[in-house]
Amino acid sequence: MMANNISGKKVAFLLTNGVEQAELTEPWKAVQEAGGQPVLVSPEEGQITAMKGDWEYGDTFTVDQQLSQAKADDFDAIVLPGGTLNADKMRLESEAVALVRAFAEAGKPISAICHAPWLLIEADLVKGRHMTSYASLESDLKNAGANWVDEEVVTDRGLTTSRNPGDLKAFCSKMLEEISEGQHSEV
């Protein structure tokens, strides 16, 4: 997984309270081990609380940058961890929708796992895309025009998607590959 060196690359992790802990911590660790700089971006101030599944509280994590201050120009890629509560709240944040859209317009890699593709739907970035997600989002993605498949990780023009925490190894590997490739003509 660590064949892709992303030294010097700054990666935004966009999330809020209720994020699935493993979907934050495993990609974060992968970015660090590959030489990148992960930055926790959130609409919250101070700290956020993760979840383990949707029922058990996880650890707290310090917010590095307020969403209102985040700009796609300041980062090389963005990671959207899942978790039902996190993803549901983030898709309602107009600044989050605008930020993800800006990454796509700049051709910068976007990686989303589990329920995070809800934000991609809201940003109107899924039509005609080959994607996967948590199984309960299949209809949502298809209704928004995506070609949904049940695979552990799918990449389409710099947009990487994955199903759930069980797919994290494949997700992290593909995420790092896309970040190391850099900007794409269209995400």
Side-chain angles (χ1 to χ4, degrees):
M1 179 174 23
M2 297 308 140
N4 297 297
N5 183 327
I6 61 168
S7 291
K9 302 237 180 185
K10 195 171 173 184
V11 181
F13 279 72
L14 181 60
L15 55 110
T16 192
N17 290 305
V19 66
E20 177 63 38
Q21 183 161 317
E23 293 172 3
L24 166 60
T25 58
E26 291 303 309
W28 186 281
K29 180 181 172 188
V31 166
Q32 286 180 319
E33 288 179 355
Q37 177 190 357
V39 178
L40 197 156
V41 176
S42 179
E44 306 299 327
E45 291 184 36
Q47 296 186 322
I48 59 94
T49 302
M51 299 293 285
K52 295 178 181 176
D54 288 334
W55 307 107
E56 183 182 334
Y57 285 103
D59 297 327
T60 58
F61 298 89
T62 300
V63 174
D64 297 316
Q65 185 172 20
Q66 291 293 132
L67 173 59
S68 61
Q69 303 300 313
K71 295 175 183 58
D73 290 344
D74 296 336
F75 297 96
D76 297 290
I78 191 167
V79 177
L80 308 174
T84 311
L85 300 173
N86 166 65
D88 194 43
K89 181 169 182 186
M90 292 309 295
R91 68 180 169 164
L92 298 176
E93 291 281 346
S94 60
E95 290 177 317
V97 173
L99 182 63
V100 171
R101 207 177 280 136
F103 272 87
E105 289 168 0
K108 295 182 178 184
I110 299 171
S111 300
I113 187 168
C114 197
H115 286 81
W118 269 338
L119 181 53
L120 301 174
I121 292 170
E122 206 60 41
D124 197 25
L125 298 175
V126 305
K127 189 172 184 169
R129 297 294 188 113
H130 188 71
M131 300 177 69
T132 195
S133 67
Y134 193 74
S136 64
L137 273 66
E138 176 182 358
S139 293
D140 296 342
L141 283 162
K142 285 180 175 179
N143 289 339
N147 175 25
W148 188 90
V149 294
D150 185 14
E151 296 175 10
E152 66 180 357
V153 67
V154 175
T155 299
D156 185 332
R157 298 170 297 190
L159 174 62
T160 301
T161 52
S162 202
R163 299 176 301 194
N164 58 55
D167 298 330
L168 277 166
K169 183 175 181 180
F171 177 73
C172 290
S173 178
K174 197 60 165 166
M175 170 195 73
L176 291 176
E177 179 183 327
E178 292 301 307
I179 294 170
S180 71
E181 287 177 7
Q183 286 183 273
H184 294 67
S185 60
E186 172 189 347
V187 173

